[in-house]
């Protein structure tokens, strides 16, 4: 009976998302980027790192649909492989940020007292005192560029938002009647958190995670543009934009294509976040 109810509820969520045209477009775009990232080794027409100086700065053509860059590398192939880096960073950053924020926010919201003071007043405010992108730049500059350090830097800069959201949700949820009833029956703190509180605060976390992935894609492109992200010859959208700066007027396609991929990927995550909010929040659900 419970399984049938859950399936029916999931079907209603999917139906409401499907009726939201912008959300459906976001899911479609996201599926397309995911397919690009997973299938890049098979669908990329050329090696993204292969140099061909005889074919440098060729305009889009049948042989090179997006043209070639100043080293003769195929822009389409590099754009496809760039999707792998961006989605890897987005998923990894949000996973780490959400994990840290979930742990610290749940502790602060559930226990309160000095634990809440240390986490919410002191620790959170220390990280909020600096803009997230500046904190990430400082971390990468100190630790050195690279994919792992980039992910750690962005996660370090982004966990506070999740922690504060979880704290507020837990503080509200722990006062509900069903939590008090479970506590009176002898449920442990861990069981209260895992079985009764956290499952009921997943909706805003999913929406925040989708928006956080959009921010992570944009931050990765920014750091790669500044030379602090993944290093060459690995193709990333940000590094492609950096390489294209000197050819803005004679080869504008070098800017257009990676910039369009960044914009569409960020748009996809934001539209998915809006769709999840409308589907999961009963106050804004679509009829």
């Amino acid at each position: 009976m419970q399984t049938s109810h859950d399936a029916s509820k999931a079907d209603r969520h999917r139906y409401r998302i499907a009726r939201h045209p912008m959300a459906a477009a976001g899911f479609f775009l996201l599926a397309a980027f995911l397919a690009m990232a997973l299938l890049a080794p098979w669908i990329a027409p050329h090696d993204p790192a292969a140099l061909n100086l005889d074919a440098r700065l060729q305009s889009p053509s049948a042989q090179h649909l997006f043209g070639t860059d100043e080293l003769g590398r195929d822009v389409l192939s590099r754009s496809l492989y760039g999707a792998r880096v961006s989605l890897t960073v987005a998923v990894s950053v949000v996973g780490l940020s959400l994990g840290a924020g979930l742990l610290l926010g749940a502790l602060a919201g559930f226990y309160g007292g000095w634990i809440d003071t240390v986490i919410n007043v002191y620790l959170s405010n220390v990280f909020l005192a600096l803009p997230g992108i500046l904190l990430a730049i400082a971390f990468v500059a100190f630790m050195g560029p690279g994919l792992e350090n980039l992910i750690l830097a962005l996660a370090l800069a982004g966990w506070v938002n999740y922690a504060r959201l979880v704290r507020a949700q837990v503080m509200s949820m722990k006062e509900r009647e069903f939590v008090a009833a479970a506590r009176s029956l002898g449920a442990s703190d861990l069981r209260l958190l895992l079985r009764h509180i956290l499952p009921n605060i997943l909706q805003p976390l999913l929406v925040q995670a989708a928006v956080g992935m959009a921010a992570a894609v944009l931050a990765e492109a920014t750091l790669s543009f500044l030379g602090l992200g993944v290093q060459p010859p690995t193709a990333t959208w940000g590094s492609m934009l950096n390489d294209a700066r000197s050819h803005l007027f004679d080869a504008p396609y070098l800017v257009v294509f990676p910039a369009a991929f960044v914009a569409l990927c960020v748009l996809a995550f934001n539209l998915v976040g809006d769709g999840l909010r409308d589907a999961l929040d009963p106050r804004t659900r679509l009829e």
Side-chain angles (χ1 to χ4, degrees), residues 255-272:
V255 176
V256 170
F257 291 116
F261 275 98
V262 172
L264 288 175
C265 191
V266 171
L267 177 63
F269 279 118
N270 282 327
L271 291 178
V272 167

Side-chain angles (χ1 to χ4, degrees), residues 1-255:
M1 185 67 178
Q2 183 65 26
T3 301
S4 175
H5 173 73
D6 292 342
S8 177
K9 186 176 180 181
D11 290 340
R12 289 197 301 270
H13 290 333
R14 286 192 292 268
Y15 175 71
R16 286 198 294 269
I17 291 175
R19 289 191 60 190
H20 194 304
M22 299 304 292
F27 277 100
F28 175 79
L29 283 173
L30 192 56
F33 279 112
L34 183 60
M36 288 166 45
L38 294 176
L39 301 178
W42 295 277
I43 64 177
H46 302 278
D47 183 346
L51 305 182
N52 184 5
L53 297 181
D54 293 332
R56 63 188 302 270
L57 295 178
Q58 288 187 356
S59 300
S61 63
Q63 185 177 4
H64 300 282
L65 294 180
F66 286 6
T68 60
D69 63 9
E70 73 279 2
L71 297 177
R73 297 172 296 189
D74 184 66
V75 175
L76 173 58
S77 300
R78 292 178 63 77
S79 297
L80 293 175
Y81 274 85
R84 309 188 92 186
V85 175
S86 292
L87 292 185
T88 298
V89 169
V91 173
S92 301
V93 168
V94 169
L96 291 175
S97 300
L98 181 58
L102 192 60
L103 176 61
L104 295 176
L107 290 175
F110 189 79
Y111 290 107
W114 68 268
I115 296 179
D116 184 31
T117 301
V118 170
I119 294 175
N120 187 56
V121 177
Y122 297 113
L123 189 59
S124 296
N125 286 334
V126 167
F127 283 89
L128 289 175
L130 292 174
I133 191 65
L134 292 182
L135 183 61
I137 290 174
F139 183 89
V140 173
F142 179 76
M143 298 297 295
L147 180 61
E148 294 81 6
N149 289 339
L150 175 63
I151 291 172
L152 289 176
L154 294 178
L156 186 67
W159 70 269
V160 177
N161 293 330
Y162 296 97
R164 291 203 156 186
L165 176 61
V166 171
R167 172 183 175 271
Q169 294 291 323
V170 170
M171 290 181 67
S172 173
M173 196 63 61
K174 73 177 183 179
E175 304 298 333
R176 304 288 286 272
E177 292 80 0
F178 66 90
V179 176
R183 189 191 300 274
S184 67
L185 293 174
S188 64
D189 291 348
L190 183 61
R191 182 178 179 84
L192 289 174
L193 280 170
L194 296 181
R195 293 292 301 273
H196 299 284
I197 295 179
L198 294 184
N200 288 289
I201 66 172
L202 287 181
Q203 295 180 1
L205 290 180
L206 290 176
V207 176
Q208 182 66 27
V211 176
M213 288 187 182
V217 169
L218 193 58
E220 183 276 324
T222 300
L223 292 177
S224 294
F225 179 82
L226 296 175
L228 297 174
V230 181
Q231 296 300 289
T234 303
T236 68
W237 295 332
S239 63
M240 292 173 66
L241 289 172
N242 184 37
D243 295 338
R245 286 187 304 166
S246 57
H247 301 284
L248 182 60
F249 297 104
D250 59 315
Y253 59 87
L254 293 179
V255 176

